[in-house]
Amino acid sequence: MTSRLTLYDTTLRDGQQTQGVQFSAAEKAEIAAMLDALGVDYIEGGWPGANPTDSEFFTSAPATRATMTAFGMTRRAGRSAGNDDVLAAVLDAGTKAVCLVGKTHDYHVTEALGIPLEENLACIADSIAHVTAQGREAIFDAEHFFDGHAANPGYALDCLRAALDAGARWIVLCDTNGGTLPERVGQITRAVIASGIPGERLGIHAHDDTGNAVACSLAAIAAGARQVQGTLNGLGERCGNASLTSLIPTLLLKEPFRSTLTTGVTPEALASLTRISRRLDEILNRSPLRAAPYVGASAFAHKAGLHASAILKAPQTYEHVAPATVGNERVIPMSNQAGQSNLRARLAGAGIEVQPGDPALSRILAAVKDREDQGYAYDSAQASFELLAREELGALPSFFEIERYRVTVERRLNAIGRRISVSEAVVVAQVGGQRVMSASDSIGANGEDAGPVNALWRAIGKDLGPWQGSIDEMTLADFRVRIIGAGTDAVTRVIIDFTDGQGAAWSTVGVSPNIVDASFEALVDAIRWKLIRDGAA
């Protein structure tokens, strides 16, 4: 027999509290659409009235199958629920569900709020009753519940009962400070259910301050909670929230959850998880975490030759799930530790079949080791390795050739007397038998100079004829620079991560004493790999 587990996403509210993250209303709408397609049950859109962006989002919130939810807090002491303007703004958002946070730790009630414990219980009960009287579904986030239960379990449970008796559909146990460990979360969740709070009305909201948010969430679910809250990619203030990109595949693919619980996420939707994760990072303009479980670029990377040999025979020898299940892919990195097993597996992954013992394998391995001695790093730049291998095999298409390029950086006064820098690039290429010249600067929408590499990238990708559509959807996701060696012999290694509109992610490497020239090599490799992967003729 299976039971239904409800998935509650708070990326747009709690995730927005991540340092350096600030969604626009349009970005919130796009993320909400992705979450809805994924199959979550609730989307917490933000706190109406708390900031202009959240208010704008709720004014034109997208229609979703998931229940759109507005977040707020219980009424303030000394006011009635019907006469609290903060609570009124939350209700005015018109959402089907409303989530209200309230104190459940006695220390916070007396010290932070400065009110009697009984008054806090009244604030909770009155607010939940007011929400339900408006015909809305009420959700109560029990703030600091696990710390509160440790300090005064009787009062913490009284807070939950106040919300439940007032009509709350869900009671959510929040580990607000993120300091409770999984075993303790499971024990307290079982104690809450034993006290009379039904598990089918109980949720868990964990923070990752000990690195255990996912484990704590699973412990609460195993103990009987039937709602789990989290964020895409584990966004959230401080160390983040429980990551739904780790929780969802674990719940769908791992026992005992797989056979005892059902969710709104289908296998087809699960296969979009990697794309959704990477699109969120693209919106945030940050580099995806390579080591992220399930969706990271290294999640299914097998560097050791022994591992790669076994993977060729039976993938399950070193993979706990099939990469395609979550929309990811297997990677066999190349490095100077590689053997022929790694090499053949990596080539097979690129659609290149080479028979064991083929002399080309030795040539490719020798080229890899020689270039890594020069400073290249192919275990972090699989696309550049694939191009190197194709060249040795005589299977590298020639889509275009860059004849020459020039990059300049000028420091000058602008029209209003402000000193600025301006980077400009000119690229001359042979495309389809024709000579093409492209020029670009690197001035962004904000009027600031984005630097010489940006100008070079714009110029290279400006006019490459029939392949322009593929190039236009490329996004530079990250740019990493390392100096190899010291003194006059030092060289610069540049590794660039790219993504595209199809959810693909790849990395290229360039090495040169000149950082711009190293970047140029990586940029051109990235375009060539993209055109090959797209099947360009």
Side-chain angles (χ1 to χ4, degrees), residues 95-167:
T95 56
K96 293 180 180 179
V98 173
C99 180
L100 298 181
V101 63
K103 304 289 188 187
T104 59
H105 187 176
D106 58 355
Y107 178 79
H108 282 263
V109 175
T110 58
E111 298 301 318
L113 296 182
I115 62 174
L117 297 182
E118 288 300 321
E119 174 66 12
N120 181 59
L121 293 176
C123 289
I124 295 170
D126 293 348
S127 302
I128 295 296
H130 183 63
V131 170
T132 58
Q134 304 292 317
R136 314 291 179 80
E137 180 181 328
I139 301 165
F140 177 62
D141 267 10
E143 189 181 27
H144 297 288
F145 176 78
F146 291 96
D147 294 333
H149 190 276
N152 187 340
Y155 183 73
L157 290 171
D158 285 345
C159 293
L160 303 188
R161 293 191 191 97
L164 186 69
D165 293 343

Side-chain angles (χ1 to χ4, degrees), residues 399-402 428-436 460 463-467:
F399 299 105
F400 60 90
E401 291 296 331
I402 305 295
V428 179
Q430 289 285 343
V431 183
Q434 294 185 339
R435 197 164 183 260
V436 177
I460 292 172
D463 186 12
L464 288 180
W467 307 294

